[in-house]
Amino acid sequence: MAQRTAGGNAAFHNFHNDYAHIADPNERRRLALAEIDKAPFGWYHIRAIVVAGIGFFTDAYDIFAISLVTTMLGVVYWHNAAAPSKAGTIDSSADTAIKVATSGGTVIGQVGFGILADIVGRKRMYGLELIIIIFATLAQALSSNSPSMSIVGVIIFWRVLMGIGIGGDYPLSSIITSEFATTKWRGAMMGSVFAMQGIGQFAAGVVALICVSGFKGSLSEAKSNATCSGDCQEAMDKIWRIIIGFGAVPGCIALYYRLTIPETPRYTFDVARDPEKAGEDTKAYIQGKHEGHPDEIARVQGIQSAEANLTIPKASFGDFVRHNIQWKYGKVLLGTAASWFFLDVAFYGLSLNNSVILTEIGYGSGSTVYQSFYNVAVGNIIIVCAGAIPGYWVTVATVDTIGRKPIQIAGFLILTILFCIIGFAYDKLSSGGLLGLYVVSQFFFNFGPNATTFIVPGECFPTRYRSTSHGLSAASGKVGSIVAQVVIGPLRIRGATATNPSPWLNHVMEIYALFMLCGVFSSFLIPETKRKTLEELAGEVPGTSNYDQDLSGRGSDVSDRDLGVADGEKNV
């Protein structure tokens, strides 16, 4: 009889244990995956979405709140700037460094956690990234200047660390949701997890609005950032710390559920082939110990049995290279990585500078410091509610019917047109027209490539390399965001004057249009994953267009049951 695996809670059911009494590992795999793939959508799936989605809520909150916070840091720490005209305004290089720090850490986290989740398992890594985020977020909120270190250096350090945690959440939440999801609504489930980013952005604006309103009396005393001193400056110092610190609250709520999830059935069957250790770990889990200590002879026998009976290829670096140097597989990784890169150049370049866009359309100024920050917070909420949040949820509603690929290609095409209009007709657009185009752009980012570039990499790769491939794709996107912030973003202030702080903003939009056009072409490299099982997409299901008989290592004589394919998986 097979041993049982550890973990399981109300949000993530342990399907592996339902079939632990069946001796043949291929038969257990077939039954367990059929249970997952054919399960009707219910409250179990909603709970799973919320647990995974809270991580993205926290991620989006932390990333997008910094756009508001850097302006406040200018008031607090640049009040005595050498140039009187720069008083109360953060240095542009410091502003860029703080924003890019998170993306730099995210790249490390996406690649590192992605690889580790394929090596040691999803369960062991899930929750660790959230602990890092919570710790680094609280540390930022408590940071301050000192004679030996500037506030910028301290915040950059903690934001790099936070970025590592945020990066780890991308592959882990994606593949865990994907591997637990029902085939019919897998896209909607993954899209719902990612849609929590919109809620996180909304929360960042709401928390900022509440904090600014709470210190209205102090902030109303100053007419501009340069004159914000005394009580005004102290209030601003409290506000940015509250905004940053609140980002740790949702993570604390989700942490327990993440730490107690079971290993995903697909990883248990396809990668972790050690049933004896799993059984002893279950006993240790029940007894509150750190790990079990099985008899080594029985453990070796269990591993040998799994090696002899399971037909799925064993993961290794050599197999990963051989798999991806084949064009039919390598082009998929190239397509997911390139599409995410092209997307994030424009998406993060635009979103992290929301305050600049709001200034251009009249939502970034006011007669007092209070009114200025109040307008920025309200403007961010308007943009998120009018464009971003509806876009996310339209994707959730349609991604399993329209399909991932059509939504991504159409989104890139529409964004190309929108950025061309904004860029080439910028001087002729009214503030209302510019706001409208910006909101529509946010909508088609999220009802388009921003959602699908997250969903597809969590589906189209084999289980043994799914996390690594998703991490590499996501890291490519974050490299794009770094390019946007370091190379393209600063172009907007080229030739800036007191009356025109962003003279090259129109040309930046034109550059973004070019990247969106490139995204159209890279999208043709990805497969359509709608209503297909993960095993079919990995080429493991005989009789389907994707089937690769070499994957099993046993040629064309391998039967459906030998491969662990559930009845009805061929034509979902």
Side-chain angles (χ1 to χ4, degrees), residues 389-516:
I389 292 178
Y392 280 116
W393 291 103
V394 171
T395 297
V396 172
T398 60
V399 71
D400 284 310
T401 51
I402 297 175
R404 287 70 153 155
K405 196 169 181 176
I407 290 176
Q408 181 164 313
I409 292 174
F412 272 127
L413 277 172
I414 293 171
L415 289 166
T416 301
I417 296 170
L418 289 171
F419 281 124
C420 282
I421 294 172
I422 296 174
F424 291 103
Y426 185 81
D427 294 330
K428 299 179 181 179
L429 292 171
S430 64
S431 295
L434 183 60
L435 175 60
L437 288 169
Y438 187 67
V439 168
V440 174
S441 298
Q442 288 289 339
F443 176 83
F444 282 104
F445 266 127
N446 299 302
F447 177 44
N450 190 39
T452 55
T453 51
F454 170 80
I455 294 172
V456 174
E459 302 175 305
C460 62
F461 300 106
T463 299
R464 62 194 186 278
Y465 307 127
R466 185 171 293 126
S467 181
T468 299
S469 299
H470 193 288
L472 292 172
S473 300
S476 176
K478 284 300 170 286
V479 171
S481 72
I482 293 172
V483 170
Q485 289 294 292
V486 175
V487 180
I488 301 175
L491 291 176
R492 66 179 171 80
I493 61 173
R494 184 176 179 181
T497 63
T499 57
N500 188 7
S502 303
W504 264 56
L505 188 58
N506 59 327
H507 299 306
V508 169
M509 297 297 173
E510 294 163 8
I511 295 173
Y512 290 161
L514 176 61
F515 279 95
M516 295 298 95

Side-chain angles (χ1 to χ4, degrees), residues 276-540:
E276 292 296 326
K277 181 66 166 64
E280 291 300 315
D281 281 346
T282 301
K283 298 175 183 177
Y285 175 78
I286 294 172
Q287 296 169 3
K289 298 179 181 178
H290 291 296
E291 63 175 328
H293 300 281
D295 178 78
E296 289 303 317
I297 296 177
R299 184 177 183 183
V300 170
Q301 291 174 341
I303 293 173
Q304 291 175 342
S305 175
E307 291 291 343
N309 293 310
L310 280 175
T311 59
I312 301 302
K314 188 174 182 180
S316 68
F317 178 75
D319 182 60
F320 176 79
V321 174
R322 286 191 297 271
H323 181 79
N324 285 292
I325 60 174
Q326 301 177 67
W327 175 244
K328 62 181 177 181
Y329 299 122
K331 71 175 183 179
V332 177
L333 181 57
L334 176 62
T336 56
S339 297
W340 213 330
F341 173 84
F342 295 136
L343 164 75
D344 275 9
V345 169
F347 182 73
Y348 278 87
L350 201 62
S351 297
L352 287 176
N353 291 290
N354 271 357
S355 59
V356 176
I357 300 295
L358 293 172
T359 299
E360 293 293 324
I361 60 179
Y363 278 88
S365 61
S367 58
T368 65
V369 170
Y370 164 75
Q371 289 182 348
S372 295
F373 282 96
Y374 182 90
N375 287 341
V376 169
V378 170
N380 276 282
I381 293 172
I382 291 173
I383 290 173
V384 171
C385 291
I389 292 178
Y392 280 116
W393 291 103
V394 171
T395 297
V396 172
T398 60
V399 71
D400 284 310
T401 51
I402 297 175
R404 287 70 153 155
K405 196 169 181 176
I407 290 176
Q408 181 164 313
I409 292 174
F412 272 127
L413 277 172
I414 293 171
L415 289 166
T416 301
I417 296 170
L418 289 171
F419 281 124
C420 282
I421 294 172
I422 296 174
F424 291 103
Y426 185 81
D427 294 330
K428 299 179 181 179
L429 292 171
S430 64
S431 295
L434 183 60
L435 175 60
L437 288 169
Y438 187 67
V439 168
V440 174
S441 298
Q442 288 289 339
F443 176 83
F444 282 104
F445 266 127
N446 299 302
F447 177 44
N450 190 39
T452 55
T453 51
F454 170 80
I455 294 172
V456 174
E459 302 175 305
C460 62
F461 300 106
T463 299
R464 62 194 186 278
Y465 307 127
R466 185 171 293 126
S467 181
T468 299
S469 299
H470 193 288
L472 292 172
S473 300
S476 176
K478 284 300 170 286
V479 171
S481 72
I482 293 172
V483 170
Q485 289 294 292
V486 175
V487 180
I488 301 175
L491 291 176
R492 66 179 171 80
I493 61 173
R494 184 176 179 181
T497 63
T499 57
N500 188 7
S502 303
W504 264 56
L505 188 58
N506 59 327
H507 299 306
V508 169
M509 297 297 173
E510 294 163 8
I511 295 173
Y512 290 161
L514 176 61
F515 279 95
M516 295 298 95
L517 183 61
C518 292
V520 174
F521 296 108
S522 64
S523 298
F524 286 104
L525 297 174
I526 67 172
E528 177 53 66
T529 59
K530 177 185 68 174
R531 302 283 167 88
K532 295 180 180 179
T533 68
L534 298 180
E535 287 65 45
E536 180 180 349
L537 291 167
E540 299 170 7

